[in-house]
Amino acid sequence: MGRVSVGSRPIVLRRLDYGYDGAALSESMPIERHFLGWDEPPLHRAASWLRGRYSCPGGPRTQLDLSAVIVVVPVARAGRRLLELLVSERHGVQLVPPRIVTVGQLPELLYDASAVADELTSLLVRTTALRDAERVMLERLSPHLPARDNLARWLDLADELAQVSLELGAQMRAPADAAAQVGGRWEAIAALEQAYLALMAQRGLQDISAARRAALAQGRCRSGSDIVLVGAV
């Protein structure tokens, strides 16, 4: 069984792929892969696999308990359909459903994300940091700054910086890392990021990208559930 040893409890990963690419799998790969094939719709096969894998041989046949399973799907619609299949094909068995999430929702289930701000709150705090920044620094970011009272344009600018932070975060990097390598405009972006993070800290909040990087760097990722990736990369 594949295990990723991160934090004090290992994370168990099982990956369900819809096709077979013929490639040999390394025995050291920390993910247990199962190829579902193409002989029936992928989500039907995934539902069947879950029922077969988590049924208890010799145990009570009246219940399928998936409460200790997190199922990760590419999009929310696939998750809703998978749950429908699990419910409709239970054949009189009492179902305790798994927790079904998208790829983007998974990280916050692996560490204490109680202080992570929601997207709107983060955007508003970032907008405040931008509007409070020195104009000289902002002009390094953009030569055409919005008027002070043009809140919509400030929100757009804050959202652009938030997307930059998320894209870097997906690579386990921060604006400061880019500034150290490239300099120039990135130095202004990094300084504005630090101002934003300082405002978040004053409010007792965490930025999602920064929180994810810290959790990984400090080995705080853990899960007491099996994690099943259904067609997700």
Side-chain angles (χ1 to χ4, degrees), residues 1-160:
M1 180 181 299
R3 292 176 182 265
V4 180
S5 296
V6 185
S8 62
R9 299 179 67 182
I11 295 175
V12 180
L13 291 171
R14 294 187 176 88
R15 175 173 168 178
L16 308 188
D17 288 318
Y18 299 154
Y20 178 63
D21 59 10
L25 301 178
S26 168
E27 292 183 0
S28 63
M29 180 176 287
I31 301 179
E32 179 185 317
R33 299 179 76 181
H34 301 267
F35 294 96
L36 300 180
W38 296 100
D39 53 337
E40 67 177 311
L43 290 176
H44 285 76
R45 290 300 305 268
S48 296
W49 186 92
L50 286 167
R51 284 192 296 271
R53 174 61 183 80
Y54 292 99
S55 293
C56 298
R61 302 270 179 177
T62 58
Q63 185 180 75
L64 175 60
D65 188 354
L66 299 175
S67 60
V69 181
I70 297 173
V71 178
V72 185
V73 293
V75 294
R77 182 177 180 181
R80 292 192 294 271
R81 179 56 179 155
L82 179 60
L83 182 58
E84 288 175 1
L85 291 170
L86 287 171
V87 171
S88 64
E89 298 176 11
R90 56 198 173 106
H91 305 299
V93 174
Q94 180 182 356
L95 172 69
V96 181
R99 183 164 189 173
I100 304 177
V101 300
T102 62
V103 174
Q105 295 169 326
L106 176 62
E108 279 57 61
L109 301 182
L110 306 181
Y111 68 95
D112 181 7
S114 57
V116 172
D118 60 64
E119 185 176 352
L120 177 58
T121 300
S122 297
L123 181 63
L124 293 175
V125 174
R126 193 182 290 274
T127 301
T128 299
L130 279 176
R131 297 177 75 189
D132 290 347
E134 295 181 2
R135 189 170 185 86
V136 173
M137 181 179 297
L138 290 172
E139 287 174 345
R140 295 179 65 187
L141 185 65
S142 172
H144 306 292
L145 296 173
R148 175 75 182 177
D149 59 354
N150 190 346
L151 181 58
R153 183 65 188 97
W154 283 109
L155 286 168
D156 288 342
L157 187 58
D159 186 55
E160 291 175 14

